[in-house]
Amino acid sequence: MIRILVSTLAALGLHASFAQSDGAGFVPVTDAMLSDPAPADWLTWRRTLSGWGYSPLDGIDRGNVAALRMVWTRPLQAGIQEGTPVVYDGVMYFPNPGDVIQALDAADGELIWEYVRPLPPDLGEYGSLVNITRNIAIYGRTLIDASSDGHLFDVDAQTGELVWETQIADFREHFRQHSSGPIIANGTGFAGANCQPRGGPEACMITAHDAGTGEELWRTYTIPRPGEPGYESWGEVPYEGRWHVGTWMPPSYDPDLDRLYIGTSVTAPAPKYMLAGADERYLYHNSTLAMDGATGQIVWYYQHNVDHWDLDHPFERMLVDTAVAPDPDAVEWISPNIRAGETRRVVTGIPGKTGIVYTLDRETGEFLWATPTVEQNVIAGIDPATGAVSVEPGQIYTGAEQSRFICPSMTGGKNWPAGAYSPETNTMYMPLQNSCMNAASTLEEPDPSLLYTLDWDFEITPGTENLGVVQAIAADTGETRWTYEQRAGTMSLVATGGGLVFGGDTNGYFRAFEQASGEVLWEVNIGSEVTGYPVTYAVDGRQYVAVSTGTSSLTVRLTDLTPELNPGTANNLFVFALPD
């Protein structure tokens, strides 16, 4: 393996790619491998298309995790850092800020190649969060990423050379931000994005592409176009004034049903008096969409709430086959149609900032059960028979310069830091925050330059001094099996076959919890806010755990609530293993 240092070229913004090998020995990644990855590999955002964030590796377990030590570290590119490594056959591919991809030796961190995408110099004039890259995809012999300037692009996994690129939208005309990359299933790349008001409704879409060529196969708009079902749900708002129903995060995928499951964001502005009033539904904002993978057709949708406060619902959906037996003592809203002891294919998790767990039948969209976790005061109720959600009338704005005390705050509750599911315990492990806000409406008329048209003042939820929460929730009964609280905010989690849950926090600590009890078995201070998604993988039989640090708009807001904590904000990758 030829290793070539390319840092100087990268600093100059030049495309740096060099031959890694002659191609011999590289086994192309197939759909079958993505559906059932080898235990040693981490091939997609949450490792599997089901969104679990779970690895069966058990070399690091309850009995030996206390001996875990850092074995290598590497600095990352500057910028907002929320990346997830892809690991395949001993090579780690890391999506850096600014559309930079690095290939690293996963055993020692040595740089193999680096690709730096040249970006238009005027890109920053159209949006502020142009350099977030939460994940990339691997397929065949290439890596596929979504760019800040509205493209899908593909680089050779062995050399870092650009193979193809496809424009999805002209950022100067329909600005959208690819905060996350695609997933691949059935030879198809599926990509969403958030969409800024200045880009108009046609910036809000999900697209499918041939993973070998980049050819677009279909596009589905998340704001219905004239003549499409749901168009009337925006009332009299003109089509060009319908903004910001984006898909910030990657979807999950069910290969048996050939369906994507993806969540959507709030409208802009958020208060509905500036649109057509609180009685309209504004599809498909704050919804779970089940989409046909071959056509992009929306098969069903479930709307989690009509939002007025930026409590959106675009986060990970977990696809689980489980008994559905919600405990009435633990679960607030339960469908009367559940048959005792039945097993269902469900889509579950905490999809939005309200912190409410929702479990739906993933074939039909039928509401099964839901229950709150952290303090919330915006959802008044859910009709158990229909799943229809109602909001607290007193929390709705009716005009400008009105203030409401809202829990959770727009930081969540739950936010983009991902939870994990372990099939060993049939339990979801969720990173949450105890946060509230005084939120004030600011204008009488929409202004696309101001996005939500709200002012916020954040605080930790009254009655506690602890911001961060990790909660273990049974997927079958909805029972909370354990809760861990701490002063610092909590970030993404990963579960393992060794009975562990790994996760970091905004104070720079990375730790291992015991899955069944929540006991902290190991922790280390790595010095900076833990902003990346942790993964675990193996090389030559040795298990590693990787996590990255940096800064993000979320962690900035969370650390403001704990001013006595002073973590660093350096972008670094840290990798741990047991001693040889």
Side-chain angles (χ1 to χ4, degrees):
M1 192 178 288
I2 301 172
R3 296 172 169 86
I4 303 176
L5 187 63
V6 293
S7 300
T8 303
L9 289 176
L12 295 173
L14 300 177
H15 172 209
S17 61
F18 300 88
Q20 176 184 339
S21 73
D22 61 3
F26 187 94
V27 178
V29 174
T30 65
D31 289 304
M33 294 161 68
L34 291 172
S35 294
D36 186 18
D41 295 330
W42 193 283
L43 298 183
T44 193
W45 177 49
R46 302 302 292 150
R47 189 177 175 273
T48 57
L49 298 173
S50 55
W52 288 4
Y54 168 81
S55 168
L57 291 174
D58 60 4
I60 301 168
D61 60 26
R62 302 172 182 89
N64 60 26
V65 68
L68 208 59
R69 298 290 185 270
M70 187 176 73
V71 293
W72 61 266
T73 184
R74 183 169 192 87
L76 302 171
Q77 297 289 326
I80 296 174
Q81 202 295 107
E82 301 170 9
T84 311
V86 161
V87 184
Y88 177 56
D89 194 24
V91 178
M92 176 184 290
Y93 305 97
F94 197 91
N96 282 249
D99 293 354
V100 176
I101 301 173
Q102 292 176 329
L104 309 170
D105 187 308
D108 61 21
E110 188 173 350
L111 182 67
I112 301 169
W113 56 255
E114 182 175 74
Y115 170 82
V116 182
R117 181 174 176 79
L119 294 172
D122 61 338
L123 181 60
E125 298 175 15
Y126 295 85
S128 58
L129 301 176
V130 297
N131 65 356
I132 302 173
T133 305
R134 292 185 176 129
N135 70 292
I136 53 177
I138 188 169
Y139 189 74
R141 298 178 178 273
T142 64
L143 301 162
I144 305 175
D145 197 1
S147 73
S148 300
D149 60 345
H151 289 71
L152 212 62
F153 68 95
D154 185 75
V155 299
D156 188 286
Q158 294 180 277
T159 67
E161 295 177 348
L162 184 67
V163 177
W164 54 255
E165 60 179 359
T166 297
Q167 185 180 60
I168 298 174
D170 184 337
F171 71 89
R172 297 179 182 90
E173 189 173 341
H174 297 300
F175 187 76
R176 57 208 302 273
Q177 296 171 329
H178 284 289
S179 53
S180 301
I183 65 164
I184 309 296
N186 285 347
T188 303
F190 302 101
N194 73 73
C195 45
Q196 298 302 295
R198 68 189 302 170
E202 306 241 334
C204 302
M205 65 179 120
I206 301 158
T207 58
H209 301 261
D210 185 297
T213 66
E215 177 190 0
E216 185 174 312
L217 304 177
W218 53 254
R219 63 174 56 194
T220 297
Y221 293 92
T222 50
I223 297 175
R225 306 171 89 191
E228 293 182 341
Y231 181 80
E232 72 289 345
S233 69
W234 286 69
E236 298 302 316
V237 178
Y239 180 61
E240 63 273 13
R242 303 179 181 196
W243 307 329
H244 195 259
V245 179
T247 52
W248 290 73
M249 309 297 294
S252 300
Y253 177 77
D254 183 328
D256 294 330
L257 296 173
D258 188 20
R259 283 191 193 163
L260 302 175
Y261 299 87
I262 195 166
T264 59
S265 72
V266 302
T267 62
K272 298 301 181 284
Y273 71 85
M274 281 184 276
L275 295 173
D279 293 333
E280 304 291 354
R281 297 178 65 190
Y282 306 97
L283 296 177
Y284 292 99
H285 94 286
N286 269 20
S287 297
T288 295
L289 305 181
M291 305 176 66
D292 185 277
T295 66
Q297 177 187 359
I298 297 174
V299 180
W300 59 257
Y301 70 90
Y302 178 88
Q303 190 169 49
H304 298 277
N305 71 307
V306 174
D307 177 84
H308 305 260
W309 320 276
D310 186 25
L311 298 181
D312 59 356
H313 284 71
F315 310 129
E316 74 278 2
R317 269 70 174 166
M318 297 175 178
L319 309 184
V320 178
D321 296 347
T322 181
V324 178
D327 181 350
D329 293 330
V331 174
E332 187 161 346
W333 302 290
I334 301 174
S335 169
N337 302 318
I338 294 174
R339 298 186 299 274
E342 68 177 324
T343 296
R344 295 251 200 153
R345 294 187 293 183
V346 304
V347 51
T348 188
I350 301 180
K353 292 178 183 176
T354 61
I356 293 175
V357 182
Y358 286 88
T359 297
L360 310 173
D361 185 292
R362 70 174 181 265
E363 186 168 2
T364 66
E366 178 188 359
F367 172 82
L368 299 175
W369 61 266
T371 200
T373 53
V374 293
E375 181 72 22
Q376 74 86 23
N377 64 9
V378 295
I379 302 303
I382 300 176
D383 185 320
T386 66
V389 180
S390 58
V391 301
E392 290 286 355
Q395 299 289 46
I396 296 173
Y397 303 101
T398 59
E401 300 182 6
Q402 295 178 355
S403 183
R404 304 284 187 264
F405 184 69
I406 303 297
C407 299
S409 75
M410 56 79 67
T411 62
K414 176 72 169 61
N415 209 306
W416 55 259
Y421 167 80
S422 172
E424 314 291 331
T425 58
N426 197 26
T427 299
M428 300 177 282
Y429 303 92
M430 291 293 174
L432 303 165
Q433 321 299 334
N434 291 316
S435 68
C436 298
M437 63 182 177
N438 286 292
S441 55
T442 58
L443 298 177
E444 290 291 351
E445 300 292 335
D447 182 340
S449 69
L450 297 180
L451 196 56
Y452 304 116
T453 62
L454 293 171
D455 282 339
W456 298 289
D457 182 21
F458 303 105
E459 62 180 76
I460 293 176
T461 303
T464 181
E465 295 181 351
N466 289 322
L467 175 61
V469 182
V470 177
Q471 197 165 116
I473 304 156
D476 52 356
T477 66
E479 171 192 9
T480 298
R481 291 187 165 153
W482 54 261
T483 299
Y484 172 86
E485 294 196 357
Q486 63 174 39
R487 181 68 172 155
T490 52
M491 302 301 284
S492 296
L493 304 173
V494 62
T496 76
L500 302 172
V501 176
F502 288 94
D505 66 30
T506 58
N507 195 32
Y509 278 83
F510 187 56
R511 56 180 56 87
F513 301 93
E514 204 276 330
Q515 282 184 19
S517 67
E519 179 184 358
V520 176
L521 302 179
W522 169 85
E523 67 180 4
V524 62
N525 186 346
I526 51 179
S528 294
E529 300 168 356
V530 179
T531 54
Y533 296 86
V535 307
T536 186
Y537 61 91
V539 180
D540 296 330
R542 187 184 191 190
Q543 184 178 352
Y544 299 82
V545 180
V547 70
S548 52
T549 63
T551 190
S552 72
S553 58
L554 172 62
T555 55
V556 167
R557 290 188 173 107
L558 294 178
T559 55
D560 283 346
L561 296 176
T562 55
E564 80 281 7
L565 305 179
N566 295 289
T569 57
N571 287 4
N572 278 285
L573 179 61
F574 296 89
V575 178
F576 301 87
L578 296 173
D580 287 331

